[in-house]
Amino acid sequence: MTIEHIHNWINGEACEAADRSWIENINPATGEVVNLLPRSNEEDAFDAVAAAHDCYLAGGQGNAGAGGLNAAQRCDLLMAVADAMTERVEEIAAAESHDSGKPYLNALKGDVPRSIDNLRFFAKAAVAQTTPAVSAGNSINYVLRQPLGAVSLITPWNFPLHLLTWKLGPALAMGNSVIAKPSELTPTTASILGQLFVEVGAPEGLFNVVHGYGHEIGDALVRHPHVKAVSFTGGTETGKIIATTAAPLLKKTSFELGGKNPSIVFADCDLAQTIATVARAAFFNAGQVCLCGSRVLVASEIYDDFVDALAEQAILYRDQIGPLVSREHREKVISYVELAKQEGGEIIAGGDTYGDENGAFFEPTVIIGLDHGCRTVQEEIFGPVLTVHPFDGDEHALELANDTDFGLASSVFTSNLQRAHHFAEHIQSGMVWVNDWNLRDLRVPFGGMKQSGVGREGGEYSMSFFSQDRNVCVRYNYD
Ligand code: NAD
């Protein structure tokens, strides 16, 4: 059987890595090779930066964007790509499913439509935005909002196309050119996107894709002087490496990092809804979600019943989730379950591998009895593993919720409005849901505190990150 090769997209052309090296892309549901992707090196990364930079220069570096596209043209381009994706939605969903192992229907009904929505949303933002002007007697100030130039977008494997388009939409809407570095574990949909940009007639070099290992090409995509900003989503430790390179070069950076998010359950919640939502928050996408609620804090008066119900839900989720992204990642998750046992935890559901012997499946797992300070509870596992902890009263719940180095998201389940607002104000996380999890609106800020990141994405927050505002002051009389 011939194995397909996917390519980098540089300056509007599909290309191999300069030294013609390849990486095998493995389907974690079956262990089969999906395709081969270029193992790019610094030369490829610099070629992509040069293409993006030239595209930006071709726009004149002023109010027009990269490739000379004005805001209306950028809107049209993003809409055209969204339309092209819509026509190929099954192919794109299948690619996402083969790369990541996530069930095809999840990709078809979730990841791909959400990615299309991202592009449409920011296409409209391109033409909707305005900038302020202020008049003061003898002068008027106005603001020019201009693109930055070539920007690098470095993205992870858990929602490959969704998280890429979440950055790509605003970067292009604001008139920048882009070098995208998708995860080496899930490269295919970025390559399809590269091809679609060519098919709809995007200017050469506007959207470039470079595949390969982060530690081999990531540094080049951060430090090259023509890269004006880096938007990164991924692990906290990788974020720190990128920050170390970018900080002395004074590059604009955005970091969306890991999480260890609490689901806080009070006795006055809607119990049936809450059990279902807490289970979804922990097990959706096999727990490989930065937002996932992996620390479940439960009011002691309902603790026993809640834990039993959660264990039942965990068993049901076994048939609904896909594998972990790789067997290596599964080894990491297994090591945390072993650690939990050493730390005194009791596994009341799951805890084992299952499914295709060549796959990377791991059961939805519920662990109780752990001290909140132990490593299992404090470190991000990024698998379908949750720990449950009883609390006594609001103050104790808040103390446990904030007892973490992370601060991405949290969910509070209660029918007490006063309590809900108090927690919304005092939990240390960038996002708080009351009586839900992962209910999203593209206009609102997305991002974390503490070790979960720096900066916010979404709507105007993203448009602001991918632009620079210049004030112009015009004096119009000398009286
Ligand atoms: P990762 O940090 O290993 O990799 C992310 C990307 O960075 C990949 O494209 C990788 O190739 C690249 N990379 C690796 N080393 C690099 C380096 N030295 N320089 C530049 N780039 C480099 O993360 P992952 O394992 O792909 O994703 C899982 C992590 O992502 C989890 O920690 C999860 O919480 C986090 N995540 C966060 C969010 C959020 O919005 N906060 C969303 C999704 C995932």
Side-chain angles (χ1 to χ4, degrees):
M1 194 180 80
T2 327
I3 295 174
E4 195 197 337
H5 292 68
I6 60 168
H7 293 91
N8 291 336
W9 285 92
I10 299 178
N11 212 25
E13 288 186 8
C15 24
E16 302 177 2
D19 67 4
R20 310 191 69 180
S21 302
W22 302 93
I23 300 170
E24 284 188 344
N25 173 21
I26 307 288
N27 180 339
T30 62
E32 288 164 1
V33 178
V34 179
N35 52 34
L36 299 172
L37 59 139
R39 181 175 176 172
S40 306
N41 59 26
E42 190 179 83
E43 186 182 341
D44 302 296
F46 284 176
D47 283 352
V49 175
H53 183 60
D54 287 349
C55 181
Y56 169 63
L57 294 183
Q61 304 174 66
N63 295 339
L69 302 181
N70 63 31
Q73 291 167 321
R74 301 195 296 259
C75 171
D76 289 347
L77 179 77
L78 287 170
M79 286 292 188
V81 175
D83 291 345
M85 289 168 74
T86 307
E87 280 171 24
R88 290 166 68 166
V89 72
E90 286 91 2
E91 177 200 344
I92 299 171
E96 202 73 317
S97 171
H98 291 152
D99 279 12
S100 66
K102 68 178 69 192
Y104 171 70
L105 280 180
N106 286 18
L108 185 71
K109 303 284 179 203
D111 296 59
V112 184
R114 286 184 72 179
S115 304
I116 294 168
D117 282 353
N118 285 342
L119 295 189
R120 293 213 166 111
F121 174 85
F122 283 108
K124 291 179 209 156
V127 285
Q129 66 173 335
T130 55
T131 52
V134 284
S135 159
N138 59 359
S139 67
I140 184 161
N141 283 270
Y142 65 90
V143 176
L144 291 177
R145 177 166 266 201
Q146 299 187 322
L148 300 169
V151 298
S152 289
L153 313 180
I154 303 178
T155 46
W157 45 258
N158 57 342
F159 296 98
L161 189 62
H162 169 56
L163 292 173
L164 171 56
T165 51
W166 180 233
K167 298 179 188 301
L168 182 62
L172 295 184
M174 265 320 313
N176 302 282
S177 53
V178 162
I179 309 106
K181 154 67 185 94
S183 169
E184 57 276 19
L185 296 174
T186 53
T188 309
T189 49
S191 271
I192 295 174
L193 205 54
Q195 187 177 348
L196 293 182
F197 269 84
V198 173
E199 285 176 13
V200 303
E204 287 173 3
L206 185 74
F207 175 52
N208 306 277
V209 180
V210 197
H211 292 292
Y213 293 118
H215 65 274
E216 293 184 350
I217 55 170
D219 183 59
L221 294 177
V222 175
R223 84 179 133 78
H224 194 291
H226 288 155
V227 171
K228 299 302 173 197
V230 180
S231 179
F232 173 75
T233 297
T236 297
E237 291 314 311
T238 314
K240 287 178 185 172
I241 294 171
I242 292 174
T244 305
T245 305
L249 300 171
L250 300 178
K251 304 236 178 186
K252 204 169 184 185
T253 48
S254 161
F255 293 104
E256 299 288 347
L257 309 175
K260 190 77 181 182
N261 313 291
S263 294
I264 308 157
V265 181
F266 285 93
D268 62 6
C269 69
D270 178 327
L271 213 51
Q273 289 286 350
T274 300
I275 290 163
T277 307
V278 168
R280 183 167 56 90
F283 302 136
F284 177 67
N285 210 43
Q288 301 167 122
V289 188
C290 54
L291 305 168
C292 87
S294 49
R295 284 188 298 136
V296 182
L297 313 177
V298 183
S300 53
E301 57 267 42
I302 59 165
Y303 178 81
D304 289 339
D305 291 345
F306 196 89
V307 160
D308 290 346
L310 211 48
E312 279 173 29
Q313 288 282 320
I315 292 159
L316 297 178
Y317 260 89
R318 216 178 105 121
D319 299 327
Q320 295 176 36
I321 60 174
L324 294 165
V325 74
S326 67
R327 288 172 77 89
E328 291 73 26
H329 185 52
R330 184 170 72 173
E331 285 308 312
K332 177 188 154 192
V333 173
I334 291 171
S335 75
Y336 271 107
V337 173
E338 290 307 313
L339 176 68
K341 291 177 194 162
Q342 289 162 24
E343 290 180 323
E346 183 190 348
I347 292 153
I348 59 160
D352 218 339
T353 61
Y354 70 106
D356 189 319
E357 61 174 353
N358 296 314
F361 292 85
F362 194 78
E363 292 176 329
T365 300
V366 177
I367 307 175
I368 59 171
L370 284 168
D371 185 277
H372 198 269
C374 74
R375 279 185 55 208
T376 310
V377 183
Q378 291 295 322
E379 297 176 12
E380 186 184 45
I381 299 174
F382 222 56
V385 179
L386 65 81
T387 62
V388 200
H389 312 268
F391 66 78
D392 294 304
D394 292 34
E395 215 172 295
H396 187 207
L398 190 59
E399 189 187 311
L400 290 178
N402 289 339
D403 177 24
T404 169
D405 288 339
F406 294 102
L408 189 57
S410 50
S411 288
V412 187
F413 298 89
T414 179
S415 55
N416 181 330
L417 201 56
Q418 205 177 354
R419 171 186 278 152
H421 285 298
H422 180 76
F423 273 74
E425 185 180 345
H426 293 286
I427 290 186
Q428 295 160 357
S429 69
M431 292 164 276
V432 182
W433 283 285
V434 177
N435 296 324
D436 213 327
W437 174 77
N438 202 10
L439 183 63
R440 294 278 301 127
D441 183 315
L442 303 189
R443 295 168 293 189
V444 302
F446 183 104
M449 304 165 58
K450 296 156 88 174
Q451 297 289 299
S452 291
V454 183
R456 295 291 181 270
E457 297 186 309
E460 168 58 22
Y461 299 88
S462 296
M463 297 295 273
S464 171
F465 175 76
F466 285 113
S467 60
Q468 50 197 335
D469 286 351
R470 175 182 306 182
N471 184 64
V472 181
C473 176
V474 180
R475 179 164 186 152
Y476 56 80
N477 77 49
Y478 289 98
D479 296 342

